[in-house]
Amino acid sequence: MSERFFVLEEGESGSRYDTEVDTVEPINREDGARCPRCGVGVGMRTWLPPYRCDLVLHGEAWGDFLQGSGDDLLVSERFARAFQEEGLTGLEGFHPVEVRRVRGKRRNSTLSTPPPYLFTKACFGRGALDLTRGRLRFPAPPTCPECLSVHLDTIHGFSLEPGTWRREDIFRPRGLHGWLTVSERFARFVARHGFTNLRLTPSEEYLWDPTAPADSA
């Protein structure tokens, strides 16, 4: 049976664990990754130390997985510890984040102390978007066989080209650099530990259509 993949996203807005990350000045960033063959940008500008942020709790409890601007990812200390102890792969380093201020959006609620958070980023994997099997719409095929960068109009499910995945548990696929993709092992890891503020959608069921009305996307 072939491996199944999932798209990893932050939890739904308005959920119990809805948490917002605001970076704090000074914000140091370096240019994002570029394709080694054609030179096109394949990643957002990368956050550099010092890692400082404010947190805004829109829900009732702090989540384990937070997405900041660009490709920035923050995970709770318990998430990072379990990820390392169980030998999962694809996250590049865990760096302590200084939380300068916390605020709550819910009225008449007690704001608890957030858990320690760590900054990390997902690797660029070798797994490649299969342009022939997914239900994708794009005006022109990619011109670079390495990064497969292509302007996608819509996604109604996608697959990875067989034989290209290198068994990373979380990664950014070639051709889908803006989408975090995870393995079945990662999905089981999340379910086993009950990590919060994230959602996993099977890649074959994933829908992305920026032109669709919000209530039908």
Side-chain angles (χ1 to χ4, degrees):
M1 182 176 179
S2 61
E3 177 77 15
R4 292 187 70 199
F5 298 97
F6 301 80
V7 176
L8 169 61
E9 297 176 292
E10 200 172 48
E12 295 283 357
S13 176
S15 74
R16 184 169 186 266
Y17 300 97
D18 185 5
T19 306
E20 178 184 350
V21 181
D22 288 331
T23 49
V24 174
E25 299 285 353
I27 304 171
N28 300 318
R29 292 190 181 275
E30 66 179 1
D31 290 341
R34 291 188 172 275
C35 173
R37 179 161 180 164
C38 72
V40 71
V42 294
M44 305 290 284
R45 287 171 59 82
T46 302
W47 194 13
L48 298 175
Y51 302 113
R52 299 190 183 105
C53 73
D54 293 340
L55 296 178
V56 182
L57 183 62
H58 294 272
E60 302 171 18
W62 304 102
D64 290 297
F65 177 80
L66 311 178
Q67 287 186 292
S69 61
D71 295 338
D72 299 345
L73 302 177
L74 271 64
V75 297
S76 66
E77 188 175 63
R78 83 178 187 105
F79 179 105
R81 184 183 302 113
F83 189 93
Q84 294 172 302
E85 289 177 349
E86 298 189 23
L88 273 70
T89 63
L91 290 179
E92 299 178 338
F94 295 100
H95 309 281
V97 174
E98 179 186 354
V99 176
R100 300 290 296 272
R101 185 174 65 149
V102 297
R103 292 183 290 128
K105 288 291 188 177
R106 295 176 64 89
R107 295 181 179 179
N108 303 320
S109 63
T110 301
L111 192 61
S112 62
T113 301
Y117 282 107
L118 303 173
F119 167 78
T120 187
K121 59 182 180 179
C123 72
F124 290 90
R126 297 302 302 163
L129 176 64
D130 192 328
L131 297 172
T132 64
R133 294 171 59 208
R135 291 175 292 154
L136 311 165
R137 181 180 296 170
F138 47 93
T143 57
C144 177
E146 171 60 27
C147 64
L148 299 177
S149 288
V150 62
H151 175 80
L152 289 167
D153 291 334
T154 61
I155 302 173
H156 290 267
F158 69 88
S159 301
L160 297 184
E161 186 177 338
T164 60
W165 178 52
R166 295 294 180 265
R167 307 200 70 77
E168 306 96 338
D169 290 300
I170 175 171
F171 60 100
R172 298 184 181 277
R174 292 157 57 202
L176 277 179
H177 303 109
W179 282 266
L180 288 172
T181 303
V182 302
S183 66
E184 287 184 282
R185 183 166 79 145
F186 186 96
R188 293 192 296 268
F189 165 77
V190 167
R192 185 166 59 252
H193 291 278
F195 292 125
T196 60
N197 200 44
L198 52 78
R199 51 181 167 155
L200 297 172
T201 305
S203 65
E204 67 273 14
E205 300 174 10
Y206 181 72
L207 303 178
W208 178 77
D209 185 349
T211 66
D215 59 356
S216 63

